[in-house]
Structures are given as C-alpha cells and as structure tokens.
Amino acid sequence: MKTETLEDVLFPGLHLRVRQVVAVDDNLIIDAAGCGPPGRCPQCERPATRVHSRYRRRIAGLPVGRHTMIVRLSVRRFFCDQRQCRHRTFAEQIEGLTEPRCRCSAALRSAMKAVAVELGGRPGRRLCAKLRLHGRRTALLEQLTAPDVPDRAPRILGIDEFAFRRGGTYGTVLVDVETSRPVDVLPDRETSTVAGWLSEHPGAEIVCRDRLMAFTKAISQAAPDAPEVADRWHLLQNLSTAVEKICRGHRDCLRQPTDTNSGLRWTTPQSPLLERIRQRHREVNELAATGMSLGAIGRRLRRDRKTVRRYRNKDLEDLFASAQDRGHGVLDPYTDHVQHRFKAGCTSSMQIYRELLALGYTGGYHIVNRYVMAIRKGIAIPARTATPSPRTITSWIMRPQGTLSPSDAAQLETARNACPEIASACDLAREFTDMLRHRRGHQLRNWIQKAELSGPDAIGVFAGSIRQDLKAVTAGLTLPYSSGIVEGHVNRIKTIKRQMYGRASFTLLRARILL
C-alpha cells in the first residue's frame, strides 16, 4: 500500500512542495512553494533559464473540513532571455492552481462559477458564506462570461421570445433543439435583429418557432430554404382559448333552474358588484379611446395593468358572466331550500338561517338575509343545478376522451346536448387534437375548410389564422420536431430573472442563460 504525502492529499498532481500547515481560528494556512521545472514566457513561449527573484502570493482554495484554506505560495520570477520579446521577466504559474492576477485556485473558481450560474450574485454570496468559500458578490459575477457563439447555426434551430418586462420589452432565445443547449440570446424580438443573426450564422436546416409574425418574416428573409415548424403547444393553447370563448358565450344554455314552477319573478340582478364592473369598463374604454397606454390608464385609475387590459379587451357581458362564475358561494347548495321555504310562507330570515344550520350551512346570517331580501324584491336568481365553469368544460374537451372519468364524461355529454355550438366546437377540437397527436398533417386542409364553413365563429377565426401560416402548421402536425425544449429554456430564464430580482443587465443575463 502506497503512503500518500500531504501534497498528494491537498494538491494531487501539482508541482508543489508543502512546507508548513497551521490552523488559525477558522483558517487553514498552508506555506508552499513551486517545485516544477522553469516555466515558459507567456509572450514568446521560450523556456526560462534564470531566476530573477521570488515573492509570495496568497491563494484562496476550497475549504478543508470546517476550515477555510489559504495558500501562502512562494513563486519564482524568471528572466526572459529572448531579446525580441517584450517581456523582460515573468512570474511562475502553478498549472492547476494559479493564474495571472487571480487570488483564487482553479478548483475554487470552478466552484464559484457553478454557484454563480445557478444562483447569481447575492444569493450565491450567501451560499458561499455557509460553505466557507471565498465568494463575494462581485467576484461571483466576474465568473459569468458568456461563451463564444458558433459561426454556424445548429441544424435544427428553435426560436422563441421571452419577456425582460412583461408587456414592455422582450428578447429572443435561440436553442439547439437536438442538444437542448441555448445557442444565443438577442436583446429584442425585432425582425431585423433575428434576420441579422440568421444571416451571420447560416446552417439552419429546420427552424422551430412560435407563431410570432416577426420570426416568420425574419426566417423568410434570412433563411428562406429552411422549413418552418409551428409549435404544437401554442396551437393547442390557441385552440383552447377559442373553445373557452365559445363555452363562455353560451353559458346560459347550461344554466337550468331546478324549480321552474316556483312562481318567483326573476330579472337581471342589479348588484353593487355589477355596477362597479360597468363603471370601470366605461372608464377604461373612455381613456383607451383617447390613445392612452395601458400603463398610463392603470396609473390614472390606480388599477393593475392586467386589470386594465381585461376591461379593455372584454365585452361588458363577458365581465358580468366572469363575475358570476367565480365559483359557487357558500349559500349556493341551499338556495333551492330557501326559495322553497319562502314560497311556503316562511319569510323570516332568522328562521331560515336556523334551518340551514341544521342542514350543514357554514356561512353567516347576513348572507341568508341578503338573499331573502333579494327574493322579496324579485331580483333573486332562481336556484339552478351546479354547472361546470367554461374553463372546466374546455379542459374536458381538450383532454383525450379516454382520460375522462365517467362523471366528467357524463357532464360533458350533458353540456353537448344542452348547446349545439359547444357540441360542434367539441367535435372540431377533438378532430384537430387527434391530428396533432398522431401527426396527420395531410388532413389539415380539410379540417380548416370544415371549421370555416360549419364551425362556431371562434373556431373559424382560429382556422383562418392557421390558413395564413399553413406550411408551418402542417409541418408542426407532421414532423417530430417542436419548440417544447425552447419553452423549457424560457421557463428557466424566468427563474433566473426572479433570482436576480429583475435587475440584471442584458450582458449578465445572457451569460447566465448560455452557461
């Protein structure tokens, strides 16, 4: 059995001689000196023959147990005897340990780079403190340098956008679909920028992209011979949006009162909530008509940007319906009982409230009292069977039929029977998803024609958008390639942005993405 020396344990394979090891507090201080052959001049690469002088360097290394390693290294400075060389002297470098103008060992730099790539500056500094690594925030960020971009684009290139600031500025990420590695990151999503990159990096044989028109124009300009493949996930998302719009537009077909002979008068309820919705819708659209941006409108009305966008883009009827579809209230399972008791002559809110408590009601008295007052005024909504929300019906339609439970399948069939438009949308959506899952792109033209002629309006609009991008969508429904890998990198970019609190510069963000 070979006995290992201290040098073999601490610095395996390095030309280093350990003179002394001292533990001071939490530090392990190692006095060492280089013992290898004379080095070569970094300028002319001529071997040195004479020693100029010696000096000490402090090199931080990986921790040893509970101690932080500090190497006090004695290194030699050599003469360069080549007259034509600009360097008169040069310092000795211990290969695998030191580099010029660097106070960290190669192993420590590798660990710091791994921490910086995964966590960034401040979170990485906190982890380094716990691991006893010499990792200041600026030192960690200095390790992040983006690798060189290959001269040629990968054979199968994926392109997608990501948001620096959602609703504001966007960038573009390019990914090698075959190796799942990011290739480059662009500072915007403009056609000229993407086309310029494709012109400078030829070689893409197939381009997988989402349905952004700027990417389509860039590919047609810079890589016209490369077939385009539309992303299947975005196609399903667009189809799902169209189906949900149909379900929301025909929600009244699904609402059937359970007691049609109650004799109660029902008119459209006028509640404070609906009045607020009506007022906000009017304010947002009046300001939008003047040309104000979403952000400016939000600041004027003190509303979130997404709220302003919803009130600008949706009809008033859709907003009313969404407000009524925010889930079943605590009283909904008992409204049939309340209306039955009121019709029987029991008009006392407190008496009805006590009866509901015996039935398992968990809400407060004021909810029951408000509903009884609505019955007196004739504006209460009749008790109706619990109907699934438009989004739930959409999820049943978009999922494979074999994955639905018997209960879900029965409720979907009830919705189909109640509304011919939902039944038509269901048939067309299932036909399209079947084409997509089984790669039957040759059937796409017939589906588009059927959807435009006999399908609901929202499905017809979706079919029309596919017709405008027919070649790419057909390729997406035929070829095995997709932008799923690119979408994964977009999600990774979102995680990196959160770690950097959204303050990272483009250069730093690009380096973390590509490393």
Side-chain angles (χ1 to χ4, degrees):
M1 180 177 175
K2 181 182 177 181
T3 303
E4 292 185 340
T5 63
L6 191 60
E7 290 86 350
D8 295 332
V9 175
L10 296 177
F11 309 104
L14 302 185
H15 296 290
L16 208 64
R17 183 176 67 255
V18 176
R19 296 172 175 173
Q20 185 181 19
V21 178
V22 179
V24 180
D25 297 330
D26 292 335
N27 298 324
L28 186 67
I29 301 176
I30 301 175
D31 283 337
C35 59
R40 294 178 175 270
C41 175
Q43 180 69 26
C44 64
E45 297 186 354
R46 181 186 179 90
T49 58
R50 296 187 297 153
V51 176
H52 175 275
S53 59
R54 288 179 173 83
Y55 70 100
R56 284 189 176 275
R57 297 179 62 180
R58 288 174 63 91
I59 305 297
L62 290 175
V64 178
R66 295 180 293 114
H67 295 84
T68 300
M69 180 192 296
I70 299 176
V71 181
R72 294 195 300 192
L73 183 63
S74 175
V75 296
R76 295 168 288 182
R77 180 171 287 276
F78 297 100
F79 283 106
C80 180
D81 296 325
Q82 184 71 17
R83 293 185 178 181
Q84 292 79 12
C85 182
R86 293 182 304 170
H87 286 195
R88 308 313 304 164
T89 64
F90 62 91
E92 175 186 23
Q93 301 297 334
I94 308 299
E95 185 177 359
L97 180 66
T98 66
E99 287 185 3
R101 295 176 294 279
C102 186
R103 297 182 179 182
C104 300
S105 67
L108 178 58
R109 285 196 305 276
S110 178
M112 291 170 59
K113 183 176 182 179
V115 171
V117 169
E118 296 299 330
L119 296 179
R122 288 182 176 86
R125 176 182 59 80
R126 293 192 292 268
L127 179 62
C128 287
K130 294 182 178 180
L131 297 179
R132 299 182 181 275
L133 298 176
H134 288 273
R136 294 175 289 110
R137 181 180 66 87
T138 55
L140 289 172
L141 296 181
E142 288 173 359
Q143 306 298 322
L144 297 175
T145 55
D148 296 332
V149 178
D151 294 334
R152 295 184 63 82
R155 189 177 73 89
I156 304 176
L157 178 66
I159 303 178
D160 203 353
E161 61 179 347
F162 66 92
F164 291 112
R165 183 177 181 183
R166 188 173 181 181
T169 55
Y170 288 81
T172 302
V173 59
L174 302 102
V175 178
D176 186 343
V177 175
E178 291 183 304
T179 62
S180 302
R181 294 289 302 172
V183 177
D184 203 354
V185 180
L186 306 182
D188 56 55
R189 57 177 181 180
E190 300 297 326
T191 299
S192 57
T193 304
V194 179
W197 192 95
L198 292 174
S199 299
E200 295 172 0
H201 304 80
E205 299 180 8
I206 297 176
V207 180
C208 302
R209 58 165 177 82
D210 65 4
R211 304 187 66 196
L212 187 66
M213 188 57 64
F215 294 159
T216 304
K217 294 179 180 178
I219 296 170
S220 62
Q221 292 176 12
D225 297 331
E228 302 175 41
V229 179
D231 180 41
R232 291 188 286 274
W233 184 86
H234 283 96
L235 291 172
L236 288 177
Q237 183 190 43
N238 296 339
L239 176 60
S240 177
T241 301
V243 173
E244 184 175 351
K245 184 176 181 180
I246 295 168
C247 294
R248 289 192 181 278
H250 295 271
R251 62 172 61 82
D252 289 338
C253 301
L254 308 176
R255 292 170 175 165
Q256 299 295 332
T258 58
D259 187 4
T260 58
N261 298 319
S262 62
L264 294 174
R265 179 170 56 90
W266 175 43
T267 60
T268 302
Q270 299 296 325
S271 66
L273 172 62
L274 300 185
E275 288 299 326
R276 287 197 302 270
I277 292 175
R278 184 179 290 105
Q279 180 182 356
R280 291 174 185 174
H281 182 267
R282 182 178 63 255
E283 292 173 347
V284 168
N285 283 275
E286 287 177 354
L287 294 176
T290 64
M292 292 181 64
S293 65
L294 294 178
I297 296 174
R299 289 189 292 271
R300 171 76 67 85
L301 301 179
R302 296 184 179 182
R303 303 293 174 192
D304 186 74
R305 180 189 181 92
K306 292 180 286 187
T307 302
V308 174
R309 182 189 294 114
R310 185 172 72 252
Y311 276 92
R312 186 197 65 178
N313 295 343
K314 286 192 174 184
D315 296 333
L316 193 57
E317 292 76 10
D318 290 338
L319 293 172
F320 285 162
S322 298
Q324 296 173 1
D325 283 337
R326 288 177 183 171
H328 302 291
V330 67
L331 186 61
D332 285 357
Y334 307 97
T335 53
D336 189 16
H337 177 81
V338 175
Q339 293 186 8
H340 177 74
R341 293 291 292 142
F342 191 90
K343 179 185 175 184
C346 180
T347 59
S348 171
S349 300
M350 181 57 69
Q351 177 61 31
I352 296 177
Y353 171 65
R354 294 193 182 103
E355 294 176 3
L356 294 183
L357 290 178
L359 296 176
Y361 172 68
T362 58
Y365 165 75
H366 67 283
I367 299 177
V368 178
N369 183 55
R370 186 166 60 240
Y371 189 73
V372 172
M373 291 176 62
I375 296 177
R376 289 196 184 101
K377 295 177 182 179
I379 61 173
I381 299 176
R384 60 176 183 262
T385 57
T387 58
S389 66
R391 181 165 295 182
T392 301
I393 297 175
T394 302
S395 68
W396 292 338
I397 293 174
M398 298 302 297
R399 285 161 53 188
Q401 289 181 260
T403 63
L404 295 179
S405 66
S407 175
D408 293 344
Q411 292 186 73
L412 177 58
E413 189 63 27
T414 301
R416 286 171 53 92
N417 295 333
C419 181
E421 291 288 307
I422 293 180
S424 176
C426 179
D427 294 336
L428 289 169
R430 283 178 169 174
E431 187 176 345
F432 184 87
T433 54
D434 185 69
M435 283 192 300
L436 184 144
R437 293 188 177 103
H438 296 92
R439 307 288 192 275
R440 296 172 182 167
H442 62 280
Q443 300 176 354
L444 182 60
R445 289 180 181 272
N446 294 333
W447 184 89
I448 293 175
Q449 185 176 7
K450 182 192 297 186
E452 291 178 334
L453 292 177
S454 60
D457 292 341
I459 298 292
V461 172
F462 170 72
S465 67
I466 290 179
R467 185 182 291 279
Q468 297 176 1
D469 198 16
L470 185 60
K471 288 185 178 180
V473 176
T474 302
L477 269 62
T478 305
L479 301 177
Y481 311 112
S482 181
S483 297
I485 294 173
V486 189
E487 290 294 336
H489 280 282
V490 171
N491 289 332
R492 174 172 167 262
I493 292 172
K494 293 178 182 178
T495 303
I496 293 174
K497 285 172 51 188
R498 293 191 193 101
Q499 292 173 346
M500 294 181 162
Y501 304 101
R503 297 194 297 261
S505 64
F506 171 73
T507 302
L508 182 58
L509 182 62
R510 177 176 178 268
R512 285 199 64 185
I513 294 171
L514 297 181
L515 286 173

